[in-house]
Amino acid sequence: MSRIFKNFALSLKTNIKTIITAVILSVVVWFAISIQIFPDVTETITDIPVIIQPPAYMIENNLQLAEEYEFTANVQIRGKRREIGRLNSGDFTAYLNLANVTEEGEHTVGVLISTNSNFDIEISPNTQVMRIRVERIDSITLELAPNTSLIRNLLVEGMQIDESGLTANPPEITIRGEKTIIDSIARAEVIVVHNEEIFSTFSVAGELRLYNNNDVWIVNPDVIIDSENIIVTVPVHKVKTLELNMVIVGAPSNFDLTGLASKMLITPSELTLSSPDNSIAHRSHFDVGEILLSEIDMQLLNNQFRDTIAPKLPEGYKNISGNASFTLEFTGVSDYTQHSFTVPRDNITILNEPEGFEIEILTRELTVNVIGPTAYVQAMSVEDINVTLNLLSFPDVTDSLIDSRSVQCGIRGMRVPAWVAGNPQVDVSFTRIEQ
């Protein structure tokens, strides 16, 4: 038996070349026969990336895929063996078929596959489908409402935030996202966040918050906002409560101004104001206006005078109290009366008479109305009234001119409680003197 195996091994060793040659020839012959008998084969190409391109209809109607889908597809092909073996996934293109997607929601869509090669191959009908979710995109533009609730406790004493002057930059934002989310958004706030003491106007980045129709904060909504960097300017004012005061002007130096001012009652008596700087800190009162002493007549003494406050405020000041107007009235003047005095022309003194002109007062008698306590006025005489005509302002006169001029009237004495009401005038003749 061993001799048989030895003879076989020796024969194999002697004819090795012949055997190898025979095997190779057999393979070649088998391959040639296979090509002739089986020229076409079927193969499966895998992992073809699926291209997603929304059609015009979806774009025009604000429809888009809800996620960043990454699909791959497989395809079965048939063709010549020698050609098919040279193909891979890069020789094929796959598209997600979105032609029938016309509304938002869940959709099952097919995949369209084509080849990029020039080989004569057959692509089997593709039955692959993908599950996608489509959403409708919408947008809304909202005004930004600054909110300072988190920083009010940082104001130094005497300072206040001017809420009406709060500004956001940009003043509004446009929010884009899925329609159901956009429809739920009702308003937008920008929260001012600050950690230091506040003593002057400042600007700071704010934190955007969106609220739904129930005024509930929508935390981290899946939306796109056209501006993430929002700057809020917070105007800070100095606040102080000041007594209101009305200034009497045009009073002679010997008039008892303090006595009459003490009879003035302003309602409200004080206002809380704010200023954009520290100027209000140096004010002890606020003057709501001024009034000429000569304009205080019996009607004003016995009736209320009302005026608005806003026009009286310095630039940048705010009326925190909210009172739109004030009322001025006089108290303790029930015994005041008005009496008319007739002042003759000779009692009128001319001051600053120009040279080269003849000046003549044509008014023979001037009526002067005096107001004051009844006992005081009734004790007066015309001699107590001092009337002067000041010609310091001289008209341009070429020949002669008659002009009406106001005169200044005063009452002689010290701490006089009475005054001349109105604006007495006289007619004056100016005649040039020939040199």
Side-chain angles (χ1 to χ4, degrees):
M1 189 70 176
S2 61
R3 182 179 297 177
I4 294 174
F5 280 112
K6 289 181 180 179
N7 290 336
F8 176 76
L10 181 61
S11 176
L12 182 63
K13 181 177 181 182
T14 304
N15 299 294
I16 187 63
K17 292 183 179 179
T18 303
I19 295 172
I20 293 174
T21 301
V23 171
I24 293 174
L25 287 174
S26 299
V27 172
V28 171
V29 171
W30 176 83
F31 185 73
I33 293 172
S34 297
I35 291 176
Q36 293 299 320
I37 298 176
F38 306 106
D40 293 337
V41 295
T42 300
E43 295 285 348
T44 299
I45 304 298
T46 61
D47 297 327
I48 303 171
V50 177
I51 300 172
I52 302 175
Q53 290 183 343
Y57 180 88
M58 290 183 62
I59 296 173
E60 292 169 359
N61 289 273
N62 293 322
L63 294 173
Q64 71 173 28
L65 271 66
E67 302 176 26
E68 294 289 338
Y69 294 105
E70 293 184 1
F71 296 130
T72 59
N74 303 330
V75 65
Q76 193 174 65
I77 60 174
R78 182 175 180 80
K80 291 182 173 54
R81 184 188 300 272
R82 66 176 180 273
E83 295 177 346
I84 292 248
R86 296 165 58 184
L87 298 177
N88 57 41
S89 61
D91 296 304
F92 295 85
T93 303
Y95 289 93
L96 201 63
N97 186 7
L98 301 172
N100 295 323
V101 176
T102 59
E103 60 183 14
E104 62 267 36
E106 299 283 342
H107 295 270
T108 300
V109 296
V111 178
L112 302 176
I113 301 177
S114 62
T115 181
N116 307 322
S117 74
N118 296 321
F119 297 151
D120 185 15
I121 61 175
E122 177 185 340
I123 300 177
S124 298
N126 181 29
T127 58
Q128 292 184 82
V129 294
M130 305 293 181
R131 191 68 177 170
I132 61 171
R133 186 167 64 88
V134 175
E135 61 186 13
R136 190 177 299 275
I137 300 302
D138 203 354
S139 64
I140 185 173
T141 298
L142 297 173
E143 290 187 4
L144 289 173
N147 185 324
T148 61
S149 59
L150 298 182
I151 65 170
R152 290 170 189 163
N153 61 333
L154 298 175
L155 290 164
V156 300
E157 185 178 358
M159 306 303 290
Q160 182 169 308
I161 295 174
D162 177 16
E163 297 288 344
S164 64
L166 286 167
T167 58
N169 185 26
E172 60 183 24
I173 56 171
T174 297
I175 307 167
R176 184 176 175 82
E178 199 273 320
K179 189 175 187 305
T180 57
I181 297 177
I182 295 300
D183 289 344
S184 71
I185 299 174
R187 65 183 183 90
E189 274 189 356
V190 54
I191 307 297
V192 180
V193 180
H194 192 68
N195 299 318
E196 300 177 358
E197 277 193 331
I198 301 172
F199 52 86
S200 63
T201 297
F202 68 99
S203 297
V204 67
E207 174 187 316
L208 178 65
R209 290 187 182 179
L210 303 177
Y211 294 85
N212 64 17
N213 294 313
N214 296 320
D215 211 31
V216 176
W217 177 21
I218 305 173
V219 182
N220 298 323
D222 186 15
V223 295
I224 297 174
I225 300 171
D226 65 346
S227 180
E228 294 288 349
N229 188 23
I230 303 169
I231 303 299
V232 179
T233 298
V234 182
V236 177
H237 284 198
K238 178 75 173 179
V239 179
K240 190 175 182 180
T241 299
L242 300 174
E243 182 181 352
L244 297 188
N245 182 54
M246 177 70 75
V247 179
I248 299 176
V249 297
S253 58
N254 65 337
F255 177 71
D256 183 13
L257 187 59
T258 303
L260 182 60
S262 66
K263 299 179 183 300
M264 298 172 67
L265 176 64
I266 300 177
T267 307
S269 60
E270 60 183 23
L271 282 180
T272 299
L273 304 176
S274 69
S275 65
D277 49 33
N278 203 44
S279 60
I280 198 172
H282 306 293
R283 293 178 179 266
S284 59
H285 61 273
F286 176 65
D287 296 326
V288 291
E290 60 181 36
I291 184 170
L292 282 169
L293 178 62
S294 60
E295 293 180 351
I296 302 177
D297 54 18
M298 290 303 297
Q299 182 178 0
L300 184 58
L301 281 180
N302 296 318
N303 294 278
Q304 293 183 343
F305 168 78
R306 184 179 295 274
D307 200 359
T308 55
I309 294 174
K312 319 291 183 182
L313 298 176
E315 184 177 358
Y317 274 56
K318 299 284 185 178
N319 180 1
I320 307 300
S321 296
N323 300 88
S325 62
F326 69 92
T327 300
L328 169 67
E329 59 182 322
F330 288 85
T331 61
V333 292
S334 59
D335 65 329
Y336 276 50
T337 188
Q338 175 177 303
H339 185 73
S340 297
F341 292 88
T342 301
V343 179
R345 178 177 56 186
D346 294 341
N347 285 16
I348 301 175
T349 303
I350 301 177
L351 301 177
N352 298 305
E353 187 172 347
E355 295 182 356
F357 287 88
E358 181 180 337
I359 307 300
E360 181 182 1
I361 298 177
L362 302 180
T363 302
R364 294 182 177 275
E365 293 179 338
L366 177 67
T367 300
V368 176
N369 296 317
V370 177
I371 296 177
T374 300
Y376 185 90
V377 172
Q378 289 179 348
M380 286 179 56
S381 69
V382 69
E383 299 302 326
D384 294 319
I385 300 175
N386 180 36
V387 181
T388 58
L389 172 63
N390 193 338
L391 298 178
L392 185 62
S393 175
F394 185 65
D396 184 12
V397 180
T398 57
D399 185 12
S400 61
L401 174 70
I402 296 177
D403 191 18
S404 293
R405 287 301 184 98
S406 297
V407 294
Q408 291 77 46
C409 301
I411 301 174
R412 295 183 176 88
M414 297 295 294
R415 296 184 59 82
V416 176
W419 66 94
V420 175
N423 182 30
Q425 293 185 329
V426 294
D427 292 331
V428 185
S429 172
F430 299 88
T431 303
R432 183 178 293 276
I433 300 174
E434 297 293 338
Q435 299 294 332

